[in-house]
Amino acid sequence: MSSSVTLTPPPFPVPDGFRLHTENSSHILISENEAFLNPVQEFNRDLSVACIRTWSEDLNELKQKRRAQAKEKRALKAKEGSARKRQRVNESDATAVEPESLQTSTEPLQAGKAVVEAEISTRSEEKSEYKITILEALSATGLRSIRYAKEIPSVKYVLANDLSPTAVTAMKRNVELNGFGPEKEEEEESARKVNPNLGKVKVNEGDACALMYSHRTDRVDVVDLDPYGTAAPFIDAAVQAVKDEGLLCITCTDLSILATNNYPEKCFSNYGGLPLKAEYSHEAALRLVLHAVSTSASRYGRYIEPLVSLSIDFYVRLFIRVNSSPFQVKKALTYVSTHSSSTSTLSSRHRKTSSYFVCTSCQSFYEQPLGRVIEKQGSGESVNTIYKTQPGPTVGSKCLECDSSLHIAGPMWSGPIHNTDFVSRVLQHTEANKDHYGTAARMQGMLTVAKEELHTTFYFTPTKIAGFFHCQTPSLEETTSALLHAGQQVSRSHASPGSLKTTGTCEDVMDVFRSWVKKHPIKNVSETSPALRLLAKEPRTEANFSKHPKSVTSSSKFKIVRYPETPANWGPGSRPATGGGNKRKRKHDN
């Protein structure tokens, strides 16, 4: 934990058999095998608080704007109604003149009534900020829910759930220790005067899916899924439990399934797509989870917008906005429109779902979209949209760069994995509240890279590509400059140190290295090596490796830790031994 964060001392003694765990201003007591807590996930919890706070501020601003528009619309309607009423009165005055005394007596009454109505309308519009409800389906110790209740000002209450009775016992204890205990009917009014936070964290013992399905008609603003392993069993219920404009927060720690091809059958059953084995497999893991959420939401007429999607240590963490629109659901097959002021936005449209052919030797990839859209001009300004299947394959049976065999991966999400504007606001919030987060330095570094990241698919590292050619590795600056001189855009990727993303194709990247080899010749290449086949192809243009003005980004001028060292006690931790280890069903359940 960063030394810049001032930790609040616990207001209670630590009993024997327990150990104290403190994050920011939250304190919990933990005993062995009672509930699961991984201290390494503090970064996850810090990031979640920052993202939910930023999202709630955006939501409150949106609701205020909508209230202002509704008020303006009502005022305009009332004005038009008054004009019509005056017109009718004038017409009636032409045939019958009203007594002067009656006119003078009714005018003040009507004016006073209008003033009262205006004051009532103003008071109703000037409401306090919108209060959000959060459902944490798998709470364990309750630390995350307690932090949400303490650190997010707009929280109305947090519903913390777990199936394990021992975890629920620990949760209730920790909730009360932090001043969020349940309200008691006999002393509700007096207790609230002393502690207005009573009942702000509501503890529930039950099946996570059953609880979320019960909220399909009474939806919550935020659903947080942080399971031990995969979140796949909970996604269907989660996308139905969250409101429109709501936030879905998902953690998956099963990267042994998502980020390698050792268990393709398990990945397909969990996420509906096949994984790949390449240096960019961690980005593919993010895209597979997004594909699973998108397809689940589409079944119920809902669509998703990824706000922040990060590959962190041994897990992936995603923050996804959910909305309802049958028209937008159709676009899940084809493309997604982006609206961003950032220069990292390549175009107004990106394909949303694709499969990929991946080379087993040089890791070149070839996108195979699942669908396409045809837009025809209708009558007037209307546009008729027709959805079609996409012809394929986009490549033959061999890699175009090294003539090796290809494996298929996906289908997976192929649209943007971040909302650049949202990431910028989260970064601004983090920089303004460094003292509130123990991992603020790491948050600032990762969010900075994510903000600058291009909305293209997959990344590469010069060291890996140089390994395929058996050549000396060009520096990041030289590789970046060569691509920039060729007219391509380049950025870093948050998922791996030394990685680059570009708007260029795999062929463009390979041509840069073919030009590099011409300037730095290699020796003793085996006749069976893929390097020989890579070099057999001549570069289309000669790369320029001189320094490009844009090879250094604006954020590079500041000293920040973009890729921190692996934290102590790295790993997902051990599952608690109590309760049989099943987060969904008890042993005696049928």
Side-chain angles (χ1 to χ4, degrees), residues 261-324:
N261 59 4
N262 290 339
Y263 307 99
E265 77 290 351
K266 186 63 175 176
C267 186
F268 183 77
S269 63
N270 280 352
Y271 302 102
L274 295 175
L276 55 84
K277 187 175 183 180
E279 62 174 338
Y280 43 81
S281 60
H282 283 250
E283 182 180 327
L286 288 168
R287 296 184 179 279
L288 284 166
V289 178
L290 286 171
H291 171 70
V293 178
S294 177
T295 52
S296 291
S298 297
R299 297 185 187 103
Y300 308 104
R302 317 197 78 187
Y303 69 98
I304 68 168
E305 178 192 358
L307 299 180
V308 185
S309 307
L310 299 175
S311 173
I312 308 164
D313 298 335
F314 54 88
Y315 62 93
V316 293
R317 180 66 168 169
L318 305 97
F319 299 90
I320 305 166
R321 182 152 50 204
V322 181
N323 272 302
S324 298

Side-chain angles (χ1 to χ4, degrees), residues 433-454:
N433 297 273
K434 290 182 180 180
D435 294 343
H436 296 167
Y437 301 108
T439 60
R442 188 181 185 192
M443 290 171 63
Q444 184 181 1
M446 183 166 283
L447 289 170
T448 299
V449 179
K451 183 186 75 169
E452 298 174 348
E453 195 168 327
L454 289 171

Side-chain angles (χ1 to χ4, degrees), residues 366-388:
Y366 307 91
E367 184 178 5
Q368 173 63 65
L370 296 189
R372 58 193 175 98
V373 62
I374 300 174
E375 294 181 345
K376 293 184 178 180
Q377 189 67 38
S379 58
E381 296 181 356
S382 63
V383 177
N384 298 325
T385 304
I386 304 172
Y387 295 89
K388 300 284 188 179

Side-chain angles (χ1 to χ4, degrees), residues 393-515:
T394 54
V395 67
S397 60
K398 298 291 184 180
C399 175
L400 300 178
E401 302 303 315
C402 68
D403 202 39
S404 298
S405 59
L406 301 172
H407 284 180
I408 191 167
M412 63 181 70
W413 179 269
S414 55
I417 60 175
H418 308 299
N419 180 307
T420 305
D421 294 336
F422 182 81
V423 175
S424 299
R425 290 193 293 275
V426 178
L427 180 59
Q428 291 172 2
H429 166 80
T430 303
E431 292 173 343
N433 297 273
K434 290 182 180 180
D435 294 343
H436 296 167
Y437 301 108
T439 60
R442 188 181 185 192
M443 290 171 63
Q444 184 181 1
M446 183 166 283
L447 289 170
T448 299
V449 179
K451 183 186 75 169
E452 298 174 348
E453 195 168 327
L454 289 171
H455 296 313
T456 56
T457 310
F458 303 141
Y459 55 86
F460 71 94
T461 57
T463 53
K464 191 74 173 179
I465 304 297
F468 298 145
F469 282 87
H470 298 296
C471 68
Q472 178 184 340
T473 303
S475 66
L476 280 176
E477 183 179 292
E478 290 169 324
T479 308
T480 301
S481 297
L483 289 167
L484 289 170
H485 282 301
Q488 307 298 339
Q489 295 183 23
V490 185
S491 75
R492 304 290 290 271
S493 170
H494 78 278
S496 177
S499 58
L500 295 174
K501 301 188 81 170
T502 179
T503 56
T505 63
C506 293
E507 186 178 11
D508 294 327
V509 175
M510 294 300 179
D511 280 350
V512 167
F513 280 82
R514 292 185 181 106
S515 297

